[in-house]
Amino acid sequence: RMAETTPAPAAIDWAWQQLQVANVRVDIGSLAEATGQSHKRLIANFREHIGMPPGMVSRLVRFERAVSSVTRNPGGARLADIAIDAGYYDQ
């Protein structure tokens, strides 16, 4: 099935990369503006090409980063510090 799909547009690929490298929450409106798409269009394109909306991708990336920090250094850093580093400052 993957061989039959079309590649994601460059704007979606760029937005995906921005979500992967960000250390904090990413404003989806800023991504939409940077890609020249409306907020709704960006979400629709993400759902079509990535399989989920950009907000969910952002949350999963942050969560993966926190889990990775815990598993890489068990007992090394305080969980509160790891949470703050992953952008969970208000929980």
Side-chain angles (χ1 to χ4, degrees), residues 44-55:
N45 279 332
F46 254 79
R47 286 180 191 241
E48 179 182 347
H49 295 284
I50 306 295
M52 62 186 84

Side-chain angles (χ1 to χ4, degrees), residues 34-84:
T35 60
Q37 300 180 37
S38 71
H39 192 105
K40 287 183 178 184
R41 188 81 221 124
L42 180 69
I43 291 171
N45 279 332
F46 254 79
R47 286 180 191 241
E48 179 182 347
H49 295 284
I50 306 295
M52 62 186 84
M56 183 177 284
V57 171
S58 179
R59 287 190 299 275
L60 287 173
V61 167
R62 287 181 353 169
F63 183 73
E64 283 181 359
R65 187 172 291 125
V67 169
S68 177
S69 293
V70 171
T71 57
R72 267 195 326 256
N73 193 9
R78 290 184 32 214
L79 292 179
D81 293 332
I82 291 171
I84 289 169

